[in-house]
């Protein structure tokens, strides 16, 4: 009987360094996990697909990098809220905050996965960032929706 693999999901900026993304995917696979995150280029179904991945995940890696912090989009805000809600519902859900500014690497993720570590990185700092930046991201989303409405009128 084949062993059932656990799933690692991720939240990252579309401008993330591909080498880091590939390194985390490799780290997950080498640790015996499926890496379920893929960039869907904000298709109309992206949110449902992303949320399905989160609901099936045993762990999520947030790429809390300069790219993430520098371009915190409405989509990243939605992902952050979903991760925080999942963590509130299930305190044992693993959230790994990968902050390359603090020396985090794909290897850091792999070590924590292999050790089955409950958390990695500054979760509270990331939450504070998402709450602080959330208003600006939501306003940008409202402005974009209004622009689309005007263009269709």
């Amino acid at each position: 009987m084949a062993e059932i693999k656990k799933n690692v999901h991720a939240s990252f900026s579309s401008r993330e360094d591909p080498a880091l993304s590939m390194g985390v995917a490799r780290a997950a696979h080498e640790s015996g996990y499926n890496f379920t995150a893929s960039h869907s280029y904000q298709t109309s179904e992206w949110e449902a697909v992303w949320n399905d991945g989160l609901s099936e995940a045993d762990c999520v890696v947030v790429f809390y990098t300069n790219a993430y912090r520098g371009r915190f989009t409405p989509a990243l805000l939605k992902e952050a809220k979903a991760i925080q809600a999942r963590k509130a519902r299930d305190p044992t859900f693993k959230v790994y905050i990968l902050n390359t500014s603090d020396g985090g690497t794909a290897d850091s993720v792999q070590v924590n996965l292999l050790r089955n570590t409950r958390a990695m990185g500054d979760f509270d700092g990331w939450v504070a960032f998402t709450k602080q930046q959330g208003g600006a991201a939501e306003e940008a989303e409202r402005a974009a929706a209004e622009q689309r409405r005007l263009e269709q009128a």
Side-chain angles (χ1 to χ4, degrees), residues 98-119:
L98 174 58
N99 186 348
T100 53
S101 297
D102 287 344
T105 65
D107 289 340
S108 306
V109 173
Q110 184 169 10
V111 166
N112 282 280
L113 288 171
L114 289 169
R115 291 181 178 168
N116 201 27
T117 307
R118 293 181 62 159

Side-chain angles (χ1 to χ4, degrees), residues 45-91:
E45 298 295 318
W46 81 266
E47 191 172 4
V49 170
W50 191 89
N51 282 322
D52 286 347
L54 182 65
S55 70
E56 296 170 2
D58 301 282
C59 175
V60 66
V61 178
V62 177
F63 289 61
Y64 188 49
T65 62
N66 289 336
Y68 184 98
R69 290 187 295 273
R71 187 169 174 263
F72 190 69
T73 63
L76 290 174
L77 177 61
K78 288 178 182 180
E79 292 175 3
K81 286 181 175 182
I83 292 166
Q84 292 164 23
R86 169 81 190 270
K87 182 70 172 170
R89 284 190 312 275
D90 178 6

